Amino acid sequence: MWYMKALAIMRKSLFVESRYGKQAGQEYVHGTRFMIENDSPIVASYNVNKEGSGDMYYKGGNLLNMVCTIINDDEKWRSILRGLNKPFITKP
């Protein structure tokens, strides 16, 4: 479930941003780019029990960061993230 791990990277960047400022949050995400190896396709062969590249998590996190930068409205972006997470929240 690459999507949830990509959101985890985004959440970590938001945490760093809340503690140390916007620039530090950006630096965290940009630092994850060094973990992208581009060693194999992100999507594995279809109909085969094989997982794609682990790069999907870091690429996904950087993609979300790019969208956040394009939107350029923190409140709107947080509301979008909350909406994306809503289906995965379990209620007691």
Side-chain angles (χ1 to χ4, degrees):
M1 197 171 224
W2 74 271
Y3 176 77
M4 292 303 291
K5 291 194 178 187
L7 279 176
I9 291 170
M10 195 68 212
R11 281 191 304 268
K12 288 177 188 174
S13 110
L14 290 173
F15 173 77
V16 170
E17 180 181 320
S18 73
R19 296 290 180 160
Y20 306 106
K22 195 165 197 71
Q23 181 64 32
Q26 289 293 313
E27 288 173 7
Y28 173 82
V29 174
H30 293 170
T32 63
R33 292 177 183 171
F34 296 107
M35 302 170 98
I36 298 172
E37 297 177 353
N38 287 320
D39 57 346
S40 62
I42 288 179
V43 178
S45 303
Y46 289 102
N47 300 319
V48 177
N49 188 17
K50 185 177 178 188
E51 192 171 309
S53 169
D55 285 353
M56 70 181 92
Y57 309 119
Y58 303 110
K59 285 183 178 182
N62 278 277
L63 174 79
L64 291 173
N65 180 261
M66 179 188 68
V67 173
C68 174
T69 302
I70 291 169
I71 291 174
N72 198 24
D73 181 343
D74 290 343
E75 284 306 310
K76 187 176 202 174
W77 178 242
R78 284 187 178 94
S79 132
I80 290 169
L81 285 179
R82 287 184 187 111
L84 290 171
N85 275 317
K86 207 172 243 185
F88 302 103
I89 296 173
T90 57
K91 295 182 181 179

